[in-house]
Amino acid sequence: MRATLLEDVGKIALREFPDPVVQRPTDAVVRVTASCICGSDLHPYRGKTPSVFPKRIGHEFVGVVEDIGDQVGTVRPGDVVVAPFLISCGACRYCRAGLQTSCENGSVWGTDDGSGARSDACQGDLIRAPLADGTLVRVGTELPDALLPDVLALSDVMGTGHHAAVSAGVGPGSTVVVVGDGAVGLCAVLAARRLGAERVVAMSRTPSRQKLAAEFGATDIVAGRGAEGIAQVLELLGDGADAVLECVGSQESLEQAAAVAHPGGRLGCVGAPLGNLPLGPLFMKNVRLAGGVAPVRAYLPELLADVLAGRVRPGRIFDLELPLDEVAEGYRAMDERRAIKVLLRP
């Protein structure tokens, strides 16, 4: 099988590895039909996070089950499945509480699965999925190609955008500001409207992303950043928003998000934190803070039902599709902001 390997900072290669097989009775082997590149994959690619090279990479996929262990009961060979970006058992106290990202038996794709065996990362031809019953979500026995990008988006970015909206208490009639115009931020716009938000301000300065934000339901676009952007939001909303969805994690975006929440408002933070929250302003305004790593597995059944029914189409975030052979170009395109999110087909 072929799989993506991050060999060093800025160096992505497609290498050959042994085909995975069932190693534990709770495993499934899945043939990947589509995977993608995440904004968080760019952190080690850019050298922004500590990494040990070389490393397998990728944590989002849709595929077809080829083999299962003796203890797997929720999927069968031939089933189309989608998986969240973390592996979880589905049985521990945190999984039962809907916090699969804190699973007591969980692990990260492409690392030790907790039993001493290394799982596969997701940008490749095949993948061994540990703890299949707790991790994989059955889509059906077939999936129309037109819906494949929408289902793939549920593996991370749509679930993460939804988590931002849920954490910030978005509901019918809410006024929302979304900070960040990457795939998660754009999905947060879609999630906010899905939950009934009346007004959604998307902060974006890129025309193509502004257009998609509007298609996803943004009622206002603010192109300014920093003090200028804050002033533009406050001019639109008066004293600020009911809910602010922070989908970047940089120091500037965190400060911007804190500044545009009105007193007593709510802040949902899902951007991987590379900066520090301005706790002083949040404290003085009694802004409620929630968020964190999105428990996508908990949200998948609900969101999948809406995708299969045609009620939401998050797959439009994929503005570049490439064969797996061209994965290095996909990373370059996202690194240079020539693409919002890249879909890879083996």
Side-chain angles (χ1 to χ4, degrees), residues 290-344:
V293 183
V296 169
R297 182 60 180 81
Y299 300 135
L300 259 167
E302 169 191 352
L303 296 175
L304 179 61
D306 272 8
V307 161
L308 296 180
R311 289 187 286 268
V312 290
R313 299 297 307 273
R316 287 178 286 173
I317 57 165
F318 294 109
D319 56 345
L320 178 60
E321 181 177 319
L322 295 171
L324 188 60
D325 287 341
E326 297 179 27
V327 63
E329 168 56 19
Y331 273 82
R332 286 192 294 269
M334 285 186 61
D335 183 41
E336 297 165 6
R337 285 181 65 87
R338 290 185 281 114
I340 300 170
K341 192 167 179 67
V342 176
L343 187 150
L344 301 168

Side-chain angles (χ1 to χ4, degrees), residues 231-251:
Q232 290 172 358
V233 171
L234 297 181
E235 183 178 352
L236 283 172
L237 302 182
D239 59 353
D242 301 327
V244 182
L245 315 185
E246 197 289 313
C247 302
V248 182
S250 69
Q251 189 63 48

Side-chain angles (χ1 to χ4, degrees), residues 31-101:
R31 180 164 296 278
V32 176
T33 54
S35 60
C36 52
I37 302 171
C38 183
S40 63
D41 291 332
L42 296 181
H43 296 330
Y45 177 80
R46 291 168 170 164
K48 296 290 187 182
T49 54
S51 299
V52 177
F53 301 110
K55 64 179 290 183
R56 297 277 295 276
I57 195 165
H59 53 258
E60 302 152 284
F61 76 95
V62 172
V64 178
V65 176
E66 290 207 333
D67 195 10
I68 58 173
D70 293 342
Q71 294 179 16
V72 175
T74 61
V75 297
R76 290 287 180 266
D79 284 346
V80 179
V81 294
V82 58
F85 60 82
L86 291 175
I87 297 162
S88 57
C89 71
C92 73
R93 55 178 174 163
Y94 294 117
C95 286
R96 293 196 305 272
L99 196 63
Q100 289 90 337
T101 48

